[in-house]
Amino acid sequence: TDRGALSAWRQDREEAALILPPKGKCIAVFPKVHEGPVLDVCVSSSRGNVATAGKDGLVRVFGLSFALSKSSSSSGGGESSRRKLGLAPLADFAVAQQAPLLGAPRSLCWDATDTKILVGTHGNAVAVLDHHEDSSSSSSKKTQTKKKEPSFQILVHGHVGRITQVAASPDKGT
């Protein structure tokens, strides 16, 4: 939204995804995802992560989670279980600070591996943000996840015209 909130909707029908305002039910609202308007949202297909672009110059990555919550039925029918949607912050990337000439991120797209994010900016550039976590074995049998420093690579700068959307090639990854 213009105030930096992110809303999740459950669609009534599959075709409704193209209808604005959405038809269905708002199932969660996450306030203050960004300071100012949220410009784009992209959901990874396999990892359950969400990337958001904000006018505040940030690309933020969140992990989606679902938890069962029990609630009492108002009709006296006992308890019922509902799935509650959660959003856990994983990483923030200050795109506008790393490369001031690029400006704020405007559009996002996960690559085919869901580890890199294509970023289109207000400065008419396309960049790749390599966001990934490294799994390595510790002395115990559990696997630990280590955060790696993200890499940010400019692919195209000075694109003629406004970049309104970016898309990854399914064959080449980016």
Side-chain angles (χ1 to χ4, degrees):
T1 67
D2 285 346
R3 295 184 181 153
L6 186 62
S7 300
W9 289 77
R10 184 183 72 222
Q11 301 290 350
D12 284 340
R13 300 184 316 239
E14 197 170 306
E15 309 88 49
L18 300 176
I19 299 171
L20 291 175
K23 299 215 181 238
K25 181 179 180 185
C26 181
I27 58 173
V29 175
F30 304 99
K32 291 291 185 187
V33 172
H34 286 277
E35 294 293 327
V38 175
L39 303 175
D40 200 10
V41 177
C42 188
V43 180
S44 69
S45 59
S46 64
R47 293 181 182 236
N49 291 339
V50 174
T52 61
K55 197 167 184 178
D56 55 8
L58 295 176
V59 170
R60 300 194 73 198
V61 179
F62 299 91
L64 283 174
S65 65
F66 292 96
L68 287 177
S69 63
K70 293 185 179 184
S71 61
S72 298
S73 174
S74 59
S75 61
E79 289 186 358
S80 64
S81 293
R82 286 182 32 179
R83 286 174 41 161
K84 184 176 180 180
L85 182 64
L87 200 61
L90 298 177
D92 289 342
F93 305 102
V95 173
Q97 284 182 351
Q98 285 186 352
L101 294 177
L102 299 184
R106 179 188 307 235
S107 57
L108 304 172
C109 178
W110 288 95
D111 75 340
T113 65
D114 285 341
T115 58
K116 297 177 185 174
I117 304 168
L118 284 178
V119 181
T121 72
H122 278 276
N124 293 330
V126 177
V128 175
L129 182 61
D130 192 353
H131 161 70
H132 59 278
E133 293 177 342
D134 208 17
S135 292
S136 60
S137 298
S138 65
S139 57
S140 68
K141 292 185 180 181
K142 292 183 181 178
T143 301
Q144 291 184 339
T145 301
K146 288 193 250 178
K147 288 187 178 179
K148 281 190 159 185
E149 285 297 313
S151 66
F152 188 77
Q153 178 185 4
I154 299 169
L155 299 178
V156 177
H157 188 244
H159 186 275
V160 177
R162 186 172 143 176
I163 297 174
T164 57
Q165 202 54 265
V166 291
S169 167
D171 297 334
K172 296 183 181 178
T174 54

